[in-house]
Amino acid sequence: DGGITQSPKYLFRKEGQNVTLSCEQNLNHDAMYWYRQDPGQGLRLIYYSQIVNDFQKGDIAEGYSVSREKKESFPLTVTSAQKNPTAFYLCASSIVYGTSYEQYFGPGTRLTVT
Amino acid sequence: AQTVTQSQPEMSVQEAETVTLSCTYDTSESDYYLFWYKQPPSRQMILVIRQEAYKQQNATENRFSVNFQKAAKSFSLKISDSQLGDAAMYFCAFQNAGGTSYGKLTFGQGTILTVHP
């Protein structure tokens, strides 16, 4: 089955620790994205990548880092510099139809930092 | 920068009835796409429907249809014959066409839809 997997579903960390969230896709999509969702708010873009070894900052990139060494994988590291890391994180990938990118989402990771 | 506004934090509907969720957006672009996503309690984001701005015809997917008013920058979602499984958070999203946007989505704040049996 093709799809996007994120692991783990729930993640707990102590303040001051870096943590890496996994995102893997086997849809052969070129573009991948990371979004953050907070209660009562819509999704906000953290980072996105159009191709391997290339990525750009989104609207709220401070305190986060990413890598794109393989087409299938786009891990997100939440660093200790991120002031409010507790949130629900969603990874997406997209297929291109002409000028439109249709995004498909993974199941998400709930990160709690105490 | 684009903004997307969903002015209804919560809506409710009786099973089998029709409900309309509102969305407005602001952009200076002429070519773009609009989407409605559904997020059920599982929190999995599911694409419901998409609309190309250059198409005057409103998109329809089974019980879901949109009312796209480009001049008014309005993009509402109509759910007909509501079912219990339609209960979810619904997000409106904007996407610039092509260029260097690389498919970035700008989301509204979401509308929680409750369906009463």
Side-chain angles (χ1 to χ4, degrees):
Chain A
D1 277 337
I4 303 170
T5 57
Q6 291 185 245
S7 60
K9 190 175 177 69
Y10 299 96
L11 192 52
F12 298 88
R13 279 295 182 270
K14 295 288 187 186
E15 196 173 323
Q17 293 179 337
N18 291 354
V19 59
T20 298
L21 281 60
S22 167
C23 177
E24 304 277 334
Q25 55 100 357
N26 61 3
L27 299 168
N28 199 33
H29 289 172
D30 286 314
M32 297 186 74
Y33 314 80
W34 273 105
Y35 293 91
R36 171 184 171 133
Q37 185 177 21
D38 294 285
Q41 296 192 35
L43 281 66
R44 292 181 291 167
L45 182 65
I46 305 172
Y47 267 98
Y48 60 104
S49 169
Q50 174 73 353
I51 56 173
V52 173
N53 292 324
D54 187 44
F55 47 83
Q56 288 78 37
K57 293 181 179 179
D59 300 319
I60 56 165
E62 186 176 347
Y64 299 97
S65 66
V66 294
S67 64
R68 186 88 188 275
E69 297 176 2
K70 297 186 299 182
K71 186 176 184 177
E72 303 78 22
S73 178
F74 191 40
L76 173 74
T77 297
V78 185
T79 75
S80 57
Q82 167 51 230
K83 292 190 174 79
N84 297 296
T86 295
F88 187 64
Y89 291 87
L90 284 154
C91 176
S93 68
S94 69
I95 190 167
V96 180
Y97 292 113
T99 58
S100 171
Y101 293 66
E102 195 161 294
Q103 289 193 21
Y104 296 86
F105 285 82
T109 292
R110 172 69 185 175
L111 173 64
T112 302
V113 177
T114 56
Chain B
Q2 291 76 31
T3 59
V4 178
T5 303
Q6 293 178 250
S7 58
Q8 306 155 317
E10 296 183 29
M11 291 284 284
S12 64
V13 64
Q14 290 292 133
E15 200 174 2
E17 297 293 307
T18 296
V19 65
T20 299
L21 308 184
S22 301
C23 173
T24 58
Y25 58 94
D26 189 25
T27 184
S28 58
E29 303 292 333
S30 59
D31 195 12
Y32 50 86
Y33 299 87
L34 295 162
F35 302 85
W36 279 98
Y37 280 89
K38 169 185 177 181
Q39 187 179 44
S42 68
R43 304 199 79 172
Q44 174 73 55
M45 293 285 283
I46 301 164
L47 177 62
V48 174
I49 199 165
R50 81 181 215 149
Q51 174 77 42
E52 292 90 343
Y54 61 85
K55 286 189 177 178
Q56 290 189 335
Q57 186 173 4
N58 289 323
T60 300
E61 286 288 341
N62 301 313
R63 297 182 295 107
F64 298 88
S65 61
V66 300
N67 183 5
F68 174 49
Q69 301 289 328
K70 190 171 184 179
K73 295 180 182 172
S74 169
F75 182 60
S76 61
L77 175 69
K78 186 171 84 171
I79 305 174
S80 303
D81 185 26
S82 297
Q83 300 175 0
L84 295 177
D86 294 333
M89 174 86 90
Y90 286 82
F91 290 98
C92 177
F94 174 99
Q95 181 185 87
N96 258 334
T100 56
S101 70
Y102 298 133
K104 291 182 292 182
L105 289 170
T106 301
F107 286 87
Q109 305 91 322
T111 296
I112 298 172
L113 178 65
T114 302
V115 181
H116 297 289

